[in-house]
Amino acid sequence: MHTSLAQDSSRLPDLLKKTLDASLDYLDSINNRPPATAFARNDPLDLPDDGLGTEQTLDLFVQRYGQTMPASNGPRFWGFVTGGTTPAALVGDWLTSVYDLNLTSVAHSTAPNIELEAICLLRELFGLPASFAGTFVTGATMANFAGLALGREWIARQFGKSIAQDGLHAVPPISVLSGEAHSSIFKVLALLGLGRNSLRAVATLPGHREAVDVEALRQALERLNDRPCIVVANAGTVNTGDFDDLQALASLKSRYQFWLHVDAAFGGFAACSPNYRRLLDGIDAADSLTIDAHKWLNVPYDSAMIFTRHRDLQVAVFQNSAAYLGAIAEPPDFLHLSPENSRRLRALPAWFSLMAYGRAGYREIVERNCALARVLGDRIQASATFRLLAPVRLNVVCFTLAGETDSDRVRDFLARVRDDGRVFLTPTTFQGEAGIRAAFSNWRTRVEDIEIAWRAMNDNR
Ligand SMILES: Cc1ncc(COP(=O)(O)O)c(C=O)c1O
């Protein structure tokens, strides 16, 4: 064995203790660290011939990167839709690496029970019926990929074909209809060979809305003349947290042939609170459903779930048969259900966090985050410096600078705010206007953080 490897292996408790100290140093500073920093490229290191050993490598890492690592899992990173890591999730994630299990099948451990159990817990959290099977994937983009891959195969079946077996040329071009689809849907369409242009944008409701106009959708379906298609419903749009009327979409299913995929990457967590749950009424009609875990579940990257009522299609699309892997059993192993073959025990951080904080814990996080979004929204509404672009519906505040605004002015403001180091916000365009988003999905964020951020926003306006 290589000397450094042998030495490290005999000193593992010391090394883990040192790592714990470095972790606690970071976590103790999380409230005061800048949530984001400007990128500056390093000169890359040379690969050492002999290796430094872990202790020196940790020292090197801390010296080279430790000070500049941002607190993007801290309370004031409000860019994109970014969760943090609950203490329980951190413990689960640590153990995931300790066990380093390849969770492909039931052939060599009982660990698949952890994923199956986590999925049951999540179904309860989201109020989904047992008919929804769930599988962990790396993020909402991959969950959208899996959901639309199933939709594509379902369409092929309507023609008595299989795209999984015979390829896309087996069926006529496939249309995908959506109101305000997330950008990841376009990426997924590119990956699936349907093409970004297969998405037909359907009108959204008038006013400051991003929810699909159901009558416009009905007309678009009518124009397809009974040709089956995919409808992507949006439950929580990234700009304003708006929701399609899922119940109305569900009722269209009795008249038109379509696969209903619901992208509820963060909006799915509306189910955690009786104040917001009704936004998801009708979700049971989804054929496939995306929910992210690394957003509002507050588990570390990368983690999300694809749920579906059509497990047979999942096997048709994702099966990976080989003599050395064994036959497809019932229930099928995970490698027959997800895009990945080898996959980590990604469910463990979720399992820990769900068991540690339960229904009430997640209700409190969701309600506090939404309340804080409203506090910020109210301040913006009353201010002469900023202007709300849409009402605050859930956990996202979409606003802009008062006065003449363009994307350059917004970009410069956001760079000043980032460099100030108290809060991090990201840009957008909403209904043609250059805007700013603040998304609340971190368990650490409190009302004091709104005070700190508000001062930073006003000092840098
Ligand atoms: C509605 C929605 N769908 C999909 C995604 C993509 O998520 P991920 O980055 O986890 O792939 C996001 C990310 O913000 C989102 O908000």
Side-chain angles (χ1 to χ4, degrees):
M1 193 185 285
H2 181 270
T3 332
S4 299
L5 196 50
Q7 279 168 357
D8 275 1
S9 140
S10 64
R11 300 191 47 227
L12 198 53
D14 280 351
L15 295 173
L16 291 181
K17 167 82 179 57
K18 222 181 147 176
T19 311
L20 175 64
D21 292 344
S23 306
L24 292 176
D25 281 351
Y26 169 81
L27 290 170
D28 284 347
S29 71
I30 208 165
N31 279 332
N32 303 318
R33 242 171 220 264
T37 48
F39 177 73
R41 194 175 281 280
N42 280 346
D43 288 335
L45 295 169
D46 294 325
L47 177 68
D49 277 339
D50 220 23
L52 308 175
T54 300
E55 182 160 13
Q56 269 195 54
T57 303
L58 180 59
D59 290 343
L60 173 68
F61 172 78
V62 169
Q63 170 239 312
R64 200 170 156 80
Y65 292 108
Q67 281 312 310
T68 55
M69 287 306 269
S72 66
N73 56 351
R76 273 168 275 113
F77 189 100
W78 298 347
F80 316 110
V81 183
T82 307
T85 300
T86 63
L90 181 55
V91 169
D93 202 61
W94 171 305
L95 291 177
T96 301
S97 293
V98 169
Y99 295 123
D100 188 23
L101 256 163
N102 186 356
L103 204 69
T104 53
S105 80
V106 296
H108 48 93
S109 79
T110 55
N113 280 321
I114 298 168
E115 178 153 346
L116 297 170
E117 211 160 66
I119 290 293
C120 291
L121 300 172
L122 287 160
R123 256 195 324 243
E124 280 193 56
L125 185 72
F126 300 128
L128 294 171
S131 49
F132 278 87
T135 313
F136 274 82
V137 290
T138 52
T141 302
M142 279 320 277
N144 283 337
F145 172 82
L148 267 58
L150 303 186
R152 191 181 67 162
E153 189 65 7
W154 174 83
I155 289 179
R157 280 202 183 167
Q158 311 312 301
F159 293 99
K161 308 277 186 191
S162 167
I163 292 175
Q165 291 305 116
D166 301 318
L168 273 170
H169 51 80
V171 298
I174 292 174
S175 295
V176 181
L177 306 177
S178 189
E180 193 61 43
H182 186 263
S183 55
S184 60
I185 295 293
F186 293 88
K187 179 174 187 151
V188 160
L189 294 175
L191 289 172
L192 288 172
L194 300 180
R196 293 186 161 94
N197 291 337
S198 63
L199 194 131
R200 301 194 187 177
V202 179
T204 49
L205 292 174
H208 304 286
R209 297 298 308 271
E210 291 184 301
V212 74
D213 178 335
V214 178
E215 175 52 23
L217 178 62
R218 192 198 63 72
Q219 289 172 17
L221 289 165
E222 188 74 41
R223 280 195 295 277
L224 288 176
N225 282 324
D226 288 336
R227 198 149 52 80
C229 70
I230 298 174
V231 171
V232 176
N234 302 297
T237 57
V238 77
N239 270 341
T240 65
D242 208 345
F243 284 69
D244 288 353
D245 180 343
L246 299 178
Q247 232 162 8
L249 267 56
S251 67
L252 288 177
K253 283 194 116 209
S254 59
R255 291 160 65 189
Y256 301 98
Q257 281 203 83
F258 62 91
W259 177 272
L260 180 60
H261 175 77
V262 180
D263 180 353
F266 64 94
F269 286 84
C272 297
S273 163
N275 302 342
Y276 303 104
R277 201 170 285 155
R278 67 184 161 73
L279 294 167
L280 294 166
D281 284 353
I283 203 162
D284 297 7
D287 295 295
S288 52
L289 167 65
T290 287
I291 305 184
D292 239 328
H294 55 219
K295 292 187 166 68
W296 235 343
L297 196 65
N298 279 264
V299 302
Y301 290 100
D302 37 24
S303 187
M305 293 77 60
I306 174 69
F307 291 95
T308 180
R309 295 188 289 115
H310 304 268
R311 177 140 272 183
D312 56 324
L313 282 170
Q314 231 178 331
V315 176
V317 173
F318 295 115
Q319 64 179 269
N320 179 45
S321 301
Y324 83 102
L325 295 172
I328 302 175
E330 192 46 52
D333 283 329
F334 296 114
L335 87 163
H336 302 302
L337 299 174
S338 67
E340 301 87 3
N341 281 332
S342 293
R343 53 207 290 284
R344 75 201 307 258
L345 183 48
R346 184 167 281 113
L348 192 55
W351 185 93
F352 260 87
S353 207
L354 288 161
M355 291 308 293
Y357 311 117
R359 219 186 285 276
Y362 279 97
R363 174 177 173 175
E364 192 277 329
I365 295 172
V366 165
E367 290 183 352
R368 174 159 43 94
N369 284 161
C370 293
L372 294 174
R374 280 199 307 278
V375 171
L376 181 66
D378 290 347
R379 287 201 173 193
I380 290 171
Q381 184 96 301
S383 111
T385 314
F386 302 102
R387 178 164 52 89
L388 264 190
L389 287 177
V392 177
R393 294 197 174 82
L394 194 68
N395 62 332
V396 181
V397 187
C398 188
F399 64 103
T400 195
L401 299 165
E404 280 282 297
T405 317
D406 58 34
S407 52
D408 288 348
R409 196 168 156 234
V410 165
R411 191 197 51 225
D412 292 349
F413 166 73
L414 291 177
R416 283 196 300 278
V417 169
R418 179 200 58 208
D419 295 344
D420 169 286
R422 282 176 282 178
V423 64
F424 183 65
L425 305 161
T426 44
T428 192
T429 304
F430 178 67
Q431 299 186 341
E433 273 202 86
I436 300 165
R437 292 173 59 263
F440 293 81
S441 36
N442 189 304
W443 68 276
R444 291 179 184 271
T445 312
R446 297 156 182 261
V447 76
E448 300 87 280
D449 295 302
I450 305 279
E451 285 301 331
I452 297 169
W454 186 246
R455 279 198 294 275
M457 287 162 64
N458 280 282
D459 290 349
N460 289 284
R461 67 186 185 271

